[in-house]
Amino acid sequence: MIESDSTVPSIGQIVLPLKGREAGTYSVVVQQLDERFVLIADGDRRKFDRAKRKNIGHLQLFDYVSPEVQNSIIETGKVTNGKLRYAVTKFVNEVLIDEKKGDMFDG
């Protein structure tokens, strides 16, 4: 798994909540609140305007930052739910599936 070494997530970074109702569903960091908490959203069940506050310790951080989401938030302070869905889908389809294909050839 391509986990990040950093303990502070970046805006646009893909995360996997380990605790709570969102556990097991990929989301995107949309705002850093302080050194312990971030806001996450996935654009589907959890929209940008109702982002969930999560403890960083309850998140698995991945070494993947969506440039579309990051640029949109830096430029305008917000992002569309479509871009969030796109970022999560792109991560799952490109990064995770490619990683699983690589695992099949390691045997």
Side-chain angles (χ1 to χ4, degrees), residues 18-76:
L18 302 173
K19 308 239 181 199
R21 194 172 287 172
E22 285 88 8
T25 60
Y26 295 98
S27 295
V28 182
V29 175
V30 294
Q31 187 179 347
Q32 176 80 36
L33 297 176
D34 57 29
E35 65 277 349
R36 284 191 55 212
F37 292 98
V38 294
L39 292 179
I40 63 169
D42 65 6
D44 186 21
R45 284 181 285 181
R46 181 61 69 173
K47 307 281 195 231
F48 173 76
D49 58 346
R50 304 260 303 136
K52 177 72 176 166
R53 179 176 171 256
K54 290 297 266 184
N55 185 326
I56 293 170
H58 297 166
L59 297 174
Q60 179 179 352
L61 307 177
F62 291 94
D63 210 7
Y64 179 88
V65 176
S66 169
E68 297 88 2
V69 172
Q70 190 176 48
N71 292 339
S72 181
I73 291 175
I74 289 170
E75 289 171 11
T76 65

Side-chain angles (χ1 to χ4, degrees), residues 74-86:
I74 289 170
E75 289 171 11
T76 65
K78 56 188 175 187
V79 65
T80 64
N81 292 312
K83 278 187 185 169
L84 292 173
R85 287 191 302 270
Y86 173 77

